Amino acid sequence: SQLVSDLALSKLFSLFSESVKVVILNGCYSAVQAKAIAEHIPYVIGMSQSISDRAALEFAISFYDALGAGESIEFAYQLGCNTLRLENILEEHVPVLLQKGKIPKTSKLSSARIFISYQNEEPAQSLAQIFHDALKEVGHQVFMASEGIRLGDEWPQRINEA
């Protein structure tokens, strides 16, 4: 394997911009490369964060099934994401569809790793949980003591690992 720069991918796909209509990068954290490719290709799908093998496979199967049935790329993308919801795979937010000319310059495609620290009493617990759920829903990796630290764990070590 070899690391390839975003610029190299962009230049490569610029050579095929007349014949390639869609590119899927079905690997973890590929949204940055997808953004570079989308400068030249009409539709590009990348993954905004880590994605499980099962989620990547289910998304791809649904996406290609829809294309094979004559559906649009947008429909195929939505079907792929919805299939993850139907299969109760909580990664439907990971695939990102980019369209040439429709990529906001300020777009942040990668997720952040966030640790939420809070007082172990109300209303802090409830507010922390609401914050946790909202951040996770938009694709961030969120760690909270209540779900990630077990009795007997070394708190500082566990927090640093997360």
Side-chain angles (χ1 to χ4, degrees), residues 18-73:
E18 296 300 316
S19 58
V20 175
K21 302 301 176 214
V22 63
V23 172
I24 299 179
L25 302 174
N26 209 358
C28 301
Y29 300 100
S30 57
V32 174
Q33 292 84 7
K35 187 175 179 182
I37 294 168
E39 293 175 15
H40 307 286
I41 304 299
Y43 296 94
V44 183
I45 297 172
M47 303 301 149
S48 63
Q49 64 184 56
S50 177
I51 187 164
S52 67
D53 289 344
R54 180 172 177 231
L57 183 63
E58 293 293 337
F59 176 84
I61 290 169
S62 292
F63 182 84
Y64 290 121
D65 279 350
L67 285 184
E71 297 292 345
S72 69
I73 292 168

Side-chain angles (χ1 to χ4, degrees), residues 86-99:
L86 290 171
E87 294 291 328
N88 202 27
I89 303 171
L90 304 177
E91 298 175 75
E92 72 275 0
H93 60 279
V94 178
V96 177
L97 175 64
L98 303 174
Q99 290 181 263

